[in-house]
PDB file of all heavy atoms in Angstrom:
ATOM      1  N   ASN A  94      -6.435 146.635 226.814  1.00  0.00           N
ATOM      2  CA  ASN A  94      -5.968 147.877 226.190  1.00  0.00           C
ATOM      3  C   ASN A  94      -6.468 148.022 224.761  1.00  0.00           C
ATOM      4  O   ASN A  94      -5.990 148.883 224.019  1.00  0.00           O
ATOM      5  CB  ASN A  94      -4.438 147.926 226.192  1.00  0.00           C
ATOM      6  CG  ASN A  94      -3.868 148.026 227.586  1.00  0.00           C
ATOM      7  OD1 ASN A  94      -4.385 148.752 228.428  1.00  0.00           O
ATOM      8  ND2 ASN A  94      -2.796 147.293 227.845  1.00  0.00           N
ATOM      9  N   TYR A  95      -7.400 147.169 224.388  1.00  0.00           N
ATOM     10  CA  TYR A  95      -7.962 147.163 223.039  1.00  0.00           C
ATOM     11  C   TYR A  95      -6.904 146.871 221.981  1.00  0.00           C
ATOM     12  O   TYR A  95      -7.032 147.296 220.840  1.00  0.00           O
ATOM     13  CB  TYR A  95      -8.710 148.469 222.738  1.00  0.00           C
ATOM     14  CG  TYR A  95      -9.905 148.643 223.626  1.00  0.00           C
ATOM     15  CD1 TYR A  95      -9.837 149.411 224.783  1.00  0.00           C
ATOM     16  CD2 TYR A  95     -11.105 148.005 223.325  1.00  0.00           C
ATOM     17  CE1 TYR A  95     -10.938 149.538 225.611  1.00  0.00           C
ATOM     18  CE2 TYR A  95     -12.218 148.136 224.150  1.00  0.00           C
ATOM     19  CZ  TYR A  95     -12.118 148.912 225.298  1.00  0.00           C
ATOM     20  OH  TYR A  95     -13.197 149.039 226.121  1.00  0.00           O
ATOM     21  N   GLN A  96      -5.858 146.130 222.379  1.00  0.00           N
ATOM     22  CA  GLN A  96      -4.845 145.668 221.440  1.00  0.00           C
ATOM     23  C   GLN A  96      -5.217 144.257 220.998  1.00  0.00           C
ATOM     24  O   GLN A  96      -5.662 143.429 221.798  1.00  0.00           O
ATOM     25  CB  GLN A  96      -3.467 145.641 222.094  1.00  0.00           C
ATOM     26  CG  GLN A  96      -2.980 147.004 222.544  1.00  0.00           C
ATOM     27  CD  GLN A  96      -2.729 147.935 221.378  1.00  0.00           C
ATOM     28  OE1 GLN A  96      -2.135 147.564 220.373  1.00  0.00           O
ATOM     29  NE2 GLN A  96      -3.208 149.163 221.498  1.00  0.00           N
ATOM     30  N   LEU A  97      -5.019 143.974 219.724  1.00  0.00           N
ATOM     31  CA  LEU A  97      -5.298 142.629 219.205  1.00  0.00           C
ATOM     32  C   LEU A  97      -4.097 141.724 219.427  1.00  0.00           C
ATOM     33  O   LEU A  97      -2.986 142.061 219.021  1.00  0.00           O
ATOM     34  CB  LEU A  97      -5.631 142.685 217.719  1.00  0.00           C
ATOM     35  CG  LEU A  97      -7.082 142.796 217.309  1.00  0.00           C
ATOM     36  CD1 LEU A  97      -7.214 142.656 215.806  1.00  0.00           C
ATOM     37  CD2 LEU A  97      -7.944 141.753 217.990  1.00  0.00           C
ATOM     38  N   ILE A  98      -4.337 140.603 220.067  1.00  0.00           N
ATOM     39  CA  ILE A  98      -3.314 139.575 220.250  1.00  0.00           C
ATOM     40  C   ILE A  98      -3.625 138.460 219.257  1.00  0.00           C
ATOM     41  O   ILE A  98      -4.714 137.884 219.292  1.00  0.00           O
ATOM     42  CB  ILE A  98      -3.312 139.013 221.682  1.00  0.00           C
ATOM     43  CG1 ILE A  98      -3.349 140.146 222.712  1.00  0.00           C
ATOM     44  CG2 ILE A  98      -2.105 138.112 221.897  1.00  0.00           C
ATOM     45  CD1 ILE A  98      -2.182 141.105 222.632  1.00  0.00           C
ATOM     46  N   TRP A  99      -2.684 138.145 218.392  1.00  0.00           N
ATOM     47  CA  TRP A  99      -2.939 137.207 217.302  1.00  0.00           C
ATOM     48  C   TRP A  99      -2.407 135.812 217.605  1.00  0.00           C
ATOM     49  O   TRP A  99      -1.309 135.659 218.128  1.00  0.00           O
ATOM     50  CB  TRP A  99      -2.268 137.695 216.019  1.00  0.00           C
ATOM     51  CG  TRP A  99      -2.893 138.925 215.441  1.00  0.00           C
ATOM     52  CD1 TRP A  99      -2.562 140.218 215.719  1.00  0.00           C
ATOM     53  CD2 TRP A  99      -3.965 138.976 214.503  1.00  0.00           C
ATOM     54  NE1 TRP A  99      -3.379 141.068 215.018  1.00  0.00           N
ATOM     55  CE2 TRP A  99      -4.237 140.336 214.256  1.00  0.00           C
ATOM     56  CE3 TRP A  99      -4.713 138.003 213.849  1.00  0.00           C
ATOM     57  CZ2 TRP A  99      -5.235 140.758 213.381  1.00  0.00           C
ATOM     58  CZ3 TRP A  99      -5.712 138.422 212.959  1.00  0.00           C
ATOM     59  CH2 TRP A  99      -5.964 139.775 212.734  1.00  0.00           C
ATOM     60  N   GLY A 100      -3.204 134.802 217.250  1.00  0.00           N
ATOM     61  CA  GLY A 100      -2.696 133.446 217.220  1.00  0.00           C
ATOM     62  C   GLY A 100      -1.862 133.253 215.960  1.00  0.00           C
ATOM     63  O   GLY A 100      -1.886 134.097 215.056  1.00  0.00           O
ATOM     64  N   ALA A 101      -1.152 132.138 215.907  1.00  0.00           N
ATOM     65  CA  ALA A 101      -0.278 131.869 214.763  1.00  0.00           C
ATOM     66  C   ALA A 101      -1.044 131.381 213.542  1.00  0.00           C
ATOM     67  O   ALA A 101      -0.484 131.313 212.451  1.00  0.00           O
ATOM     68  CB  ALA A 101       0.789 130.846 215.151  1.00  0.00           C
ATOM     69  N   GLY A 102      -2.317 131.037 213.740  1.00  0.00           N
ATOM     70  CA  GLY A 102      -3.119 130.598 212.612  1.00  0.00           C
ATOM     71  C   GLY A 102      -3.156 129.091 212.463  1.00  0.00           C
ATOM     72  O   GLY A 102      -2.212 128.383 212.845  1.00  0.00           O
ATOM     73  N   THR A 103      -4.268 128.602 211.937  1.00  0.00           N
ATOM     74  CA  THR A 103      -4.440 127.178 211.637  1.00  0.00           C
ATOM     75  C   THR A 103      -4.578 127.026 210.135  1.00  0.00           C
ATOM     76  O   THR A 103      -5.505 127.581 209.537  1.00  0.00           O
ATOM     77  CB  THR A 103      -5.694 126.608 212.325  1.00  0.00           C
ATOM     78  OG1 THR A 103      -5.552 126.724 213.734  1.00  0.00           O
ATOM     79  CG2 THR A 103      -5.905 125.147 211.936  1.00  0.00           C
ATOM     80  N   LYS A 104      -3.685 126.275 209.540  1.00  0.00           N
ATOM     81  CA  LYS A 104      -3.770 126.022 208.107  1.00  0.00           C
ATOM     82  C   LYS A 104      -4.749 124.875 207.874  1.00  0.00           C
ATOM     83  O   LYS A 104      -4.530 123.762 208.374  1.00  0.00           O
ATOM     84  CB  LYS A 104      -2.398 125.667 207.541  1.00  0.00           C
ATOM     85  CG  LYS A 104      -2.403 125.443 206.035  1.00  0.00           C
ATOM     86  CD  LYS A 104      -1.012 125.118 205.527  1.00  0.00           C
ATOM     87  CE  LYS A 104      -1.016 124.889 204.023  1.00  0.00           C
ATOM     88  NZ  LYS A 104       0.334 124.569 203.515  1.00  0.00           N
ATOM     89  N   LEU A 105      -5.819 125.150 207.156  1.00  0.00           N
ATOM     90  CA  LEU A 105      -6.837 124.141 206.871  1.00  0.00           C
ATOM     91  C   LEU A 105      -6.668 123.650 205.444  1.00  0.00           C
ATOM     92  O   LEU A 105      -6.708 124.442 204.495  1.00  0.00           O
ATOM     93  CB  LEU A 105      -8.239 124.719 207.067  1.00  0.00           C
ATOM     94  CG  LEU A 105      -9.408 123.795 206.761  1.00  0.00           C
ATOM     95  CD1 LEU A 105      -9.394 122.583 207.692  1.00  0.00           C
ATOM     96  CD2 LEU A 105     -10.735 124.532 206.866  1.00  0.00           C
ATOM     97  N   ILE A 106      -6.496 122.342 205.310  1.00  0.00           N
ATOM     98  CA  ILE A 106      -6.342 121.718 203.992  1.00  0.00           C
ATOM     99  C   ILE A 106      -7.605 120.929 203.708  1.00  0.00           C
ATOM    100  O   ILE A 106      -7.998 120.070 204.511  1.00  0.00           O
ATOM    101  CB  ILE A 106      -5.104 120.797 203.975  1.00  0.00           C
ATOM    102  CG1 ILE A 106      -3.845 121.614 204.278  1.00  0.00           C
ATOM    103  CG2 ILE A 106      -4.987 120.093 202.624  1.00  0.00           C
ATOM    104  CD1 ILE A 106      -2.625 120.758 204.545  1.00  0.00           C
ATOM    105  N   ILE A 107      -8.248 121.213 202.592  1.00  0.00           N
ATOM    106  CA  ILE A 107      -9.459 120.513 202.201  1.00  0.00           C
ATOM    107  C   ILE A 107      -9.107 119.534 201.077  1.00  0.00           C
ATOM    108  O   ILE A 107      -8.539 119.927 200.059  1.00  0.00           O
ATOM    109  CB  ILE A 107     -10.554 121.481 201.697  1.00  0.00           C
ATOM    110  CG1 ILE A 107     -10.768 122.609 202.709  1.00  0.00           C
ATOM    111  CG2 ILE A 107     -11.867 120.725 201.441  1.00  0.00           C
ATOM    112  CD1 ILE A 107     -11.283 122.159 204.046  1.00  0.00           C
TER     113      ILE A 107
END
Side-chain angles (χ1 to χ4, degrees):
Chain A
N94 294 319
Y95 296 97
Q96 298 294 315
L97 267 187
I98 313 300
W99 291 90
T103 298
K104 182 179 180 180
L105 178 62
I106 300 169
I107 309 296

